[in-house]
Amino acid sequence: MSEDLNVLLVEDLETDALLVLHELRRGGFNPIWQRVQTAPELCAALGSCTWDVIISDYRLPGFDAPTALEIAKQSQKDIPFILVSGTIGEVSAVELMKAGVHDYLMKDNLNRLPEAVRRELRDAQVRTERKQAQERLYQTLQELSSFKYALDQSAIVAITDANGVITYANDRFCQISQYNREELVGHTHQIVNSGYHSQEFFAQMWQTISHGHIWRGEIRNRSKDGSFYWVNSTIVPFLDALGKPFQYLAIRTDITNLHDELRLRKQAEEQLIHNAFHDPLTGLPNRTLLEERLELAINRAKRLESYHYAVLFLDLDRFKVINDSLGHLAGDQLLQSIAQKLKTHLRDIDLVARLGGDEFVILLEDIESIEATIKITKRILIDCQTSLMINGNEMFISTSIGIVFATKEYRQAADLLRDADIAMYRAKAQGRNSYKIFDAQMHTQAVNRLTLETDIRKALEREEFVVYYQPIVDLIGGRLVGFEALVRWLSPTRGFVCPGEFIPIAEETGLIVQIDRWMFSTVCQQLAKWKTNFVHFPLYVSINLSAQDIRQTSLVEDIDRILAQTGLEGESIVLEITESMLIEDINKTIDLLTQLKDRKIQISIDDFGTGYSSLNYLHRLPADHLKIDRSFVSQMEEGNRNYQVVSTIIALSNQLGLAVVAEGIETPQQLQWLQQLGCELGQGYLFSPPLASQEIETNLLHEDYDKLYESHLLNALVSKFKFLI
């Protein structure tokens, strides 16, 4: 197959050009050619194409080979230039070869032209490769020179042979050691040995570098005048073809003035590493270190049949109350004290870590049984109840503990922590200051709980919640005075979901805030509608607020906005807050309730008697009602403890000028006792269950009382009550 050849012919005779092309084709080339006859044509051709070879006649009209050669050289393109002539003599040919012509042939002997072309192409390739290699070599030398200059300017450099004899020392080495180069070269570094380091130190160094590894460290050396200096040293071995060191490059940095600073920096680095794995407040291991230890325990349990371990997840009960009431400083001191208490119950092989907040996790390594785990857990529960003095305040704290006695089925630390956390929440739910051991059913329930949370979010989006209204009755005058608004969930998949199932989850996740805002807006819209449709409507509606609502800074603003949108006055609304919500931040709560009272909104203290409120605070609250919790009403027996509690609450409310509302009235006997005690208001299934708004309109908000009684919605007390509007 012919070889392509780009040929530039400098020839005035077409016949001679064709002879040249014929010889090239005969020699196996496929010439791609152009013929030029003048200097301008040659310049143009050199600038427009890439040529493999120039073949030139010696003499052309007004042009010749020497001129063509000079033009080719000025183009700075290394193109083989072959002279073909029938008239040139030996002397002229030699001169042209000296000037740069690569070869010449006589026109009557063109048969060696292909061979000459191939030889010149090979030579041109060699010249190109040699030039590229020279350029690379020059660049490498420049880089090495720059590197050496930079290294000499910034570091103390020495090169030794395989035995440690110095073969090169740069100026900085001479300056710092105070030896001249001649004194250093030919000696080992023993010449600057300060005697500070042990023989073992240098033996370890030689052990490292003689095996071809880089050694790094700090060395104290002695200069010629006896003064000492510190260097941060890196020794790099250079290896021969057999992998054995034949010389060493030592690069050192003078750290004499910075040695103390470097020592402090190292300490700081060590502290940073410590902080990365430890809690800064208590000094206990943090989640990162705990998870590493848990992973080790998991892997060990897989290998050793006899190895058992347990995980305890601890959460302090009511820590937030202490933190909020006494301040974060006191809370921090309490956490530190608890951390020290926990450490006293553990062995050296065990670990206690703080996850954050008031959560701690204990890893009991190599524990023989669940009974041994429970024994330690009980000791911790008892110890945590011991009083603590924090800033002059005596504190009592308890804790809820979830236990996982690990099995080989665990594959990752996150699963252990998840299950221990689930068990801890179960312990907290059953009454706190207790422990629970995890079982598979708990995990199933937790998954169901998560699913329920997801469904609650979807229910908000799909508007699946509805409001029911339970009548509130004047127990003395037999008059309907208002309603309590109660949220209900009608799920298309779950059906009617009991509030006791979804309200606690909504409170934990904060979704209760969205539910309560929706409910407040819906109730106000319904109230506005009733006031429009029923002219004489002096009734109020009582709406519950959660602890999360109280903490929302936008609560008052949101209430103002909804009241303005619906055109309602605040006097139509009663807001209920639970007694336990009062103790979180009593002063802030009083301020908030005062703002609500300024808007003529009434305040009711719900579930009174079940919380922790202080009488000292109660008289300061801008409240209008106390609601007796249904747990007292439902278990009333004349003269028993619950009866006395109800009596006391009613008496207290009378002294404070507050109205009393009894919840959960279900029997005529309960009603009679409450009337005898002077309870003013009540609600319960004895009168009516919670009703949908349409049922309220149909059965209560009209003047057809006979129909009202026939409906049986107010049960058996027709003779004693006429619910008048």
Side-chain angles (χ1 to χ4, degrees), residues 263-545:
R263 178 172 52 83
L264 293 174
R265 186 175 69 182
K266 286 181 65 176
Q267 292 176 351
E269 290 173 352
E270 292 171 356
Q271 186 64 44
L272 285 173
I273 294 174
H274 180 273
N275 291 345
F277 293 97
H278 291 79
D279 171 48
L281 176 63
T282 62
L284 296 178
N286 61 11
R287 179 185 287 271
T288 302
L289 183 53
L290 170 66
E291 289 180 345
E292 287 188 5
R293 285 286 299 271
L294 289 175
E295 295 290 349
L296 291 173
I298 290 170
N299 293 328
R300 188 179 179 191
K302 293 177 185 177
R303 298 193 311 270
L304 301 177
E305 190 72 30
S306 60
Y307 174 75
H308 303 285
Y309 65 100
V311 176
L312 277 58
F313 199 114
L314 296 82
D315 184 271
L316 303 184
D317 298 329
R318 297 181 62 246
F319 173 75
K320 188 178 187 306
V321 175
I322 295 173
N323 211 25
D324 290 347
S325 59
L326 298 180
H328 291 283
L329 180 59
D332 289 348
Q333 291 176 348
L334 175 61
L335 292 173
Q336 291 168 340
S337 299
I338 294 296
Q340 294 305 313
K341 278 179 177 286
L342 295 177
K343 289 166 67 175
T344 62
H345 296 282
L346 305 182
R347 304 159 296 170
D348 291 340
I349 62 173
D350 299 328
L351 177 80
V352 56
R354 181 184 176 221
L355 291 192
D358 59 341
E359 294 180 337
F360 297 86
V361 173
I362 293 174
L363 169 62
L364 299 176
E365 294 256 27
D366 210 6
I367 192 81
E368 63 271 16
S369 65
I370 186 62
E371 290 76 18
T373 303
I374 293 173
K375 185 177 180 180
I376 294 173
T377 302
K378 289 181 176 179
R379 288 206 309 263
I380 292 173
L381 288 173
I382 294 171
D383 192 18
C384 284
Q385 292 181 77
T386 307
S387 65
L388 292 168
M389 293 300 296
I390 304 293
N391 291 341
N393 297 294
E394 186 177 18
M395 295 185 185
F396 292 88
I397 195 75
S398 62
T399 184
S400 300
I401 303 177
I403 301 173
V404 170
F405 193 73
T407 64
K408 291 183 178 180
E409 281 68 33
Y410 283 101
R411 293 290 182 266
Q412 53 187 9
D415 293 341
L416 281 166
L417 294 175
R418 177 201 63 201
D419 292 348
D421 189 28
I422 291 171
M424 181 274 294
Y425 273 105
R426 183 61 60 87
K428 193 174 286 289
Q430 77 172 11
R432 309 187 180 191
N433 191 38
S434 61
Y435 68 87
K436 271 290 184 181
I437 301 171
F438 176 80
D439 57 44
Q441 185 180 3
M442 289 184 185
H443 182 243
T444 301
Q445 292 171 345
V447 172
N448 293 339
R449 188 180 182 87
L450 180 61
T451 304
L452 184 58
E453 178 188 339
T454 302
D455 288 350
I456 293 172
R457 295 181 185 276
K458 292 179 180 178
L460 279 165
E461 297 173 1
R462 299 168 181 170
E463 299 182 351
E464 295 174 5
F465 292 107
V466 294
V467 179
Y468 274 54
Y469 300 86
Q470 185 171 40
I472 299 174
V473 177
D474 179 352
L475 300 184
I476 306 302
R479 183 182 300 273
L480 178 66
V481 296
F483 303 96
E484 179 179 3
L486 301 167
V487 66
R488 296 294 183 261
W489 180 12
L490 301 178
S491 170
T493 56
R494 296 175 178 268
F496 182 85
V497 184
C498 176
E501 292 183 41
F502 70 87
I503 291 296
I505 296 176
E507 289 178 338
E508 287 180 19
T509 58
L511 292 171
I512 193 67
V513 174
Q514 297 180 51
I515 294 174
D516 287 349
R517 289 296 184 277
W518 167 84
M519 187 171 178
F520 188 86
S521 176
T522 302
V523 169
C524 287
Q525 291 175 37
Q526 184 64 64
L527 262 175
K529 177 183 175 184
W530 283 340
K531 284 182 176 292
T532 300
N533 296 340
F534 303 94
V535 179
H536 302 291
F537 189 88
L539 307 181
Y540 65 83
V541 175
S542 184
I543 306 170
N544 290 277
L545 290 182

Side-chain angles (χ1 to χ4, degrees), residues 506-510 512-513 546-552 581:
E507 289 178 338
E508 287 180 19
T509 58
I512 193 67
V513 174
S546 68
Q548 286 89 334
D549 291 322
I550 296 295
R551 299 188 193 108
Q552 297 295 312
M581 290 161 55

Side-chain angles (χ1 to χ4, degrees), residues 100-120:
V101 170
H102 295 93
D103 202 353
Y104 76 95
L105 293 85
M106 301 304 292
K107 287 186 177 181
D108 57 1
N109 190 23
L110 287 178
N111 59 340
R112 75 179 188 90
L113 178 61
E115 179 186 348
V117 169
R118 284 193 170 87
R119 182 183 64 250
E120 294 306 326

